[in-house]
Amino acid sequence: MNILAIMSPEGAYYKDEPIRELDLALTNLGFKTIYPRNNADLLKLIENNARICGAIFDWDQHSTELCTEINELNEYLPLYGFINTHSSLDVTVNDMRMVLYFFEYALNAADDIAKRIRQYTDEYIDTITPPLTKALFRYVEEGKYTFCTPGHMAGTAFLKSPVGTLFYDFFGAKTLKADISISVTELGSLLDHTGPHLEAEEYIARTFGAEQSYIVTNGTSTANKIVGMYAAPAGSTVLIDRNCHKSLAHLMMMTNVVPIYLRPNRNAYGILGGIPQREFTRESIEEKVAMTQNATWPVHAVITNSTYDGLLYNTDYIKQTLDVPSIHFDSAWVPYTNFHPIYAGKSGMSGERVAGKVIYETQSTHKLLAAFSQASMIHIKGDYDESTFNEAYMMHTTTSPHYGIVASAETAAAMLRGNPGRRLINRSVERALHFRKEIQRLREETEGWFYDIWQPEEIDEAECWPLNPDQNWHGFANADTDHMYLDPIKVTILTPGMDEQGQLAAEGIPAALVAKFLDERGVVVEKTGPYNLLFLFSIGIDKTKSMSLMRGLTDFKRGYDLNLRVKNMLPDLYAEDPDFYRHMRIQDLAQGIHKLIRKHDLPSLMIRAFDVLPEMVMTPYDMFQHQVRGHIEECEIGDLIGKVAANMILPYPPGVPVVMPGEMITQHSRAVLDFLIMLCSIGERYPGFETDIHGAKLTEDGRYWVKVLKLPAA
């Protein structure tokens, strides 16, 4: 971070020469200087190059207007105005809040000015660097000799082995030097929340609008378990979103609670909808408690916000309506909602405290912000027992945390602070909106088929679009007014073959073919449904990546319209079974899978499968106790009716459990099994299209086996 932007003064030798001297002095101190042509050029450079650490300009030419414009981009950036004895400052008290310094034009003063700029640059870096990261950087720079863990000793152990040197060179010296022991006292303790670790969590809480925050180093899967272990004592009843992440199913296997499920909607595309408003009412919960064996009034609720497909709740309604002491919003996919006005009222931490309730929000910092994998956060608003909560925290947190992960979580928070953070999220929203409009434009201009996009017809402004009942585009029956909203950065592309009501066309292009084509060209899809593809326009997406996606989509259309051979269009798929695909063309493959989907009427089958729940014979906890005692056996997935599943069964897509541990598929819930069998049949018929079903083992002969409760011998 050593780039300085210099706006050359115009037409005065007494100004030019001091600037030339300053350029040389700054270069000697390690700075790189660049020269924008005009104000607009300078602003674009600052906006697009985060390494610029200051701007130098002639005060008489540019004055406060330029400073204000720069400040809107980055209020922390040092600004250096050069003046002469006749310059009029006209600086207000408000202007002095900016990081603004003045120097006079003078010969032979460049070295002193450069040293001052070095000092102010160091102060700038110190200001924007969060506390734990700052302490970690300082520790690494000190280069202490340690006689504690980890055993690679700042990377030196790797240098004693040929393969170790490859590892060392790949990751770099500083990455390895920053992998340190919890014995380093000056960095405090993640488990005890002391020193820079405590400062980091306080810094994060202020950034995300929480009263207290915790850094978690094993992802939101662990964060969810920490919250659940504290908030739901053994024997209590918990409301669980049926579209929950599998970590919450694992929580229920670990702790002896009685689950009551809140059942979300789902549309024909298989897109995960939200839980209807009625499900949150006291009357609805009373009915569920009465129908569930051993259930009492719930002490805790878990809501997935947003859904995998980018649907956000009006969280204020849930907080006010849901009559439970604590509510946990699993917000793994939306750690950015506190930093753009379109997300107001749609996150767990939005708004003030709710009397008599504790609100938790867990976020996967690594998923859509700039942090290492496994970096996650827990945010809390409300009164809770910090000591007991920390016991639950320590149950799931290693005593040897990776400091790089911790620092990356804190840095992700730092990146979102102030004007630079708001601009970062705004750019993400703008890029997604631009991409959506480009798909719309190409669809209107292209002859023949083209992709559609799951969104309202009019998307002129950046906003979260409501899924209101008077609209058809979303495909959700009986939607509630002002309850669910589509996040614009979660972009769902639709392929031909089905409309929003689930009506299948005579011909279609299953989305899995497009996903495989894109993957072979280096573009990875986040989630693939029958006729939809999900792409995440996070802050790391730039124009290059979005245009690569656009090119991949249009290249598939071109190849499909030419009806190329599978061998040429999808070589990796062809390699899986050359005999089967030897003479097949892409249109034959697409229509073959489409006909199979039509035969099973997948849209209605999927809706029926998620419209009914299997019977809960025992809780997930009780089932797991049987499993660890060995009271299980295996059966083919087609023989599941009447048997109690030992593990959750989770097909991907859609990525949520259809059967929980301890549940039994009966004739009443037969649609669940029919849906699973249909997914299996595609892979049986077309090699390379096998469905990934968590909780089921796929054998070499193409059969799926699942674990079930072993029945006593007759």
Side-chain angles (χ1 to χ4, degrees), residues 201-466:
E201 291 179 331
E202 291 173 341
Y203 179 94
I204 288 169
R206 292 193 299 272
T207 303
F208 285 85
E211 294 175 5
Q212 180 67 50
S213 293
Y214 293 84
I215 300 170
V216 180
T217 57
N218 197 25
T220 304
S221 295
T222 291
N224 289 343
K225 294 168 192 168
I226 292 169
V227 172
M229 289 290 283
Y230 169 78
S236 64
T237 298
V238 179
L239 291 170
I240 299 282
D241 187 340
R242 186 68 184 195
N243 277 356
C244 68
H245 186 259
K246 62 181 180 179
S247 60
L248 290 156
H250 286 141
L251 168 68
M252 293 187 287
M253 294 166 72
M254 295 166 62
T255 184
N256 190 15
V257 297
V258 178
I260 291 179
Y261 296 108
L262 299 169
R263 293 167 57 183
N265 289 325
R266 184 175 308 273
N267 68 10
Y269 291 119
I271 291 174
L272 309 178
I275 301 163
Q277 286 184 338
R278 185 188 180 280
E279 291 273 301
F280 297 110
T281 63
R282 186 173 185 88
E283 293 76 19
S284 175
I285 296 170
E286 285 175 344
E287 292 172 10
K288 293 176 185 290
V289 170
M291 294 168 57
T292 305
Q293 187 177 3
N294 299 323
T296 55
W297 191 260
V299 299
H300 182 59
V302 185
I303 313 297
T304 307
N305 184 55
S306 79
T307 67
Y308 201 160
D309 299 279
L311 297 184
L312 291 154
Y313 288 95
N314 171 358
T315 54
D316 184 60
Y317 171 86
I318 297 173
K319 294 173 189 177
Q320 299 298 332
T321 305
L322 200 49
D323 189 10
V324 293
S326 65
I327 303 172
H328 167 199
F329 291 99
D330 178 1
S331 300
W333 293 96
V334 282
Y336 47 82
T337 48
N338 197 48
F339 307 97
H340 197 291
I342 66 171
Y343 300 111
K346 301 175 181 67
S347 70
M349 289 298 104
S350 63
E352 302 299 322
R353 273 188 172 207
V354 180
K357 295 180 183 179
V358 185
I359 307 299
Y360 303 92
E361 187 167 37
T362 52
Q363 296 175 344
S364 291
T365 318
H366 67 94
K367 275 190 169 72
L368 288 165
L369 298 181
F372 287 158
S373 291
Q374 299 187 31
S376 183
M377 298 176 186
I378 300 172
H379 305 300
I380 305 176
K381 195 171 276 187
D383 295 323
Y384 70 105
D385 187 320
E386 292 188 31
S387 175
T388 305
F389 186 90
N390 200 52
E391 288 297 320
Y393 180 87
M394 290 191 292
M395 285 180 195
H396 295 277
T397 305
T398 176
T399 55
S400 302
H402 192 289
Y403 281 65
I405 295 176
V406 179
S408 78
E410 182 193 46
T411 298
M415 290 173 65
L416 295 175
R417 290 170 75 94
N419 292 338
R422 285 187 288 273
R423 181 165 51 86
L424 199 63
I425 301 303
N426 189 53
R427 288 290 179 267
S428 178
V429 173
E430 286 179 347
R431 278 190 289 271
L433 192 64
H434 180 264
F435 183 84
R436 289 172 177 275
K437 289 180 177 180
E438 282 296 292
I439 292 289
Q440 278 187 326
R441 181 185 64 81
L442 289 172
R443 181 175 176 80
E444 293 169 0
E445 296 176 358
T446 303
E447 293 185 10
W449 73 273
F450 198 71
Y451 309 92
D452 203 350
I453 196 158
W454 191 63
Q455 63 188 23
E457 291 184 11
E458 302 296 331
I459 56 162
D460 294 331
E461 300 296 329
E463 62 176 309
C464 290
W465 299 292

Side-chain angles (χ1 to χ4, degrees), residues 187-201:
L187 291 181
S189 169
L190 180 67
L191 299 181
D192 297 332
H193 312 284
T194 57
H197 282 284
L198 174 61
E199 293 176 47
E201 291 179 331

